[in-house]
Amino acid sequence: MLFLAAVEKFKNYLVKKDYAEKTIYNYSKILEIFNQHLEQKYNGQVYLSDVVTEDIEDYIYQRKLKGDSSSTRTLNAYTIRSFYKFIARKKHGENITLD
């Protein structure tokens, strides 16, 4: 499954679970930026199965280099963990954030 397709499924899940609009927007934005990071790294569209734990670590480190605060980086990490928990629960892939 394409990473972006999985993000859309996650967004729909958040809407169905009645998350706040701001939360859905923030999670979506974070995952969109993470996807851009992945597409740049892999030179094109990315599948869920392509992403490894190191990609997440690299992304969070890049956010630090760009000047994101510790709390912003924590929110990024939490969002990505929540996304991968969802992915595993819905059997779209594995939860690579457990490592």
Side-chain angles (χ1 to χ4, degrees):
M1 173 182 295
L2 282 174
F3 188 87
L4 276 180
V7 170
E8 283 303 312
K9 289 181 179 288
F10 183 58
K11 284 168 45 176
N12 290 335
Y13 167 78
L14 296 175
V15 169
K16 289 176 185 174
K17 287 292 190 176
D18 201 28
Y19 277 67
E21 283 184 39
K22 186 168 180 137
T23 300
I24 296 168
Y25 174 81
N26 287 337
Y27 283 19
S28 298
K29 196 69 176 162
I30 288 167
L31 291 170
E32 178 184 310
I33 294 168
F34 181 49
N35 180 66
Q36 290 170 358
H37 170 82
L38 294 169
E39 286 182 347
Q40 189 173 36
K41 180 177 181 177
Y42 290 104
N43 295 317
Q45 290 186 324
V46 178
Y47 288 88
L48 279 173
S49 58
D50 295 334
V51 185
V52 296
T53 304
E54 185 179 310
D55 293 327
I56 299 168
E57 294 165 354
D58 289 346
Y59 170 72
I60 299 298
Y61 181 67
Q62 289 300 316
R63 299 311 309 165
K64 179 179 182 178
L65 294 178
K66 289 187 183 214
D68 282 1
S69 68
S70 176
S71 61
T72 298
R73 292 190 316 268
T74 300
L75 176 60
N76 275 258
Y78 177 79
T79 300
I80 294 169
R81 270 195 312 271
S82 295
F83 171 71
Y84 275 100
K85 280 184 192 176
F86 165 80
I87 292 303
R89 245 183 291 137
K90 298 297 181 181
K91 302 194 186 323
H92 297 305
E94 64 179 279
N95 184 352
I96 63 171
T97 63
L98 295 175
D99 293 340

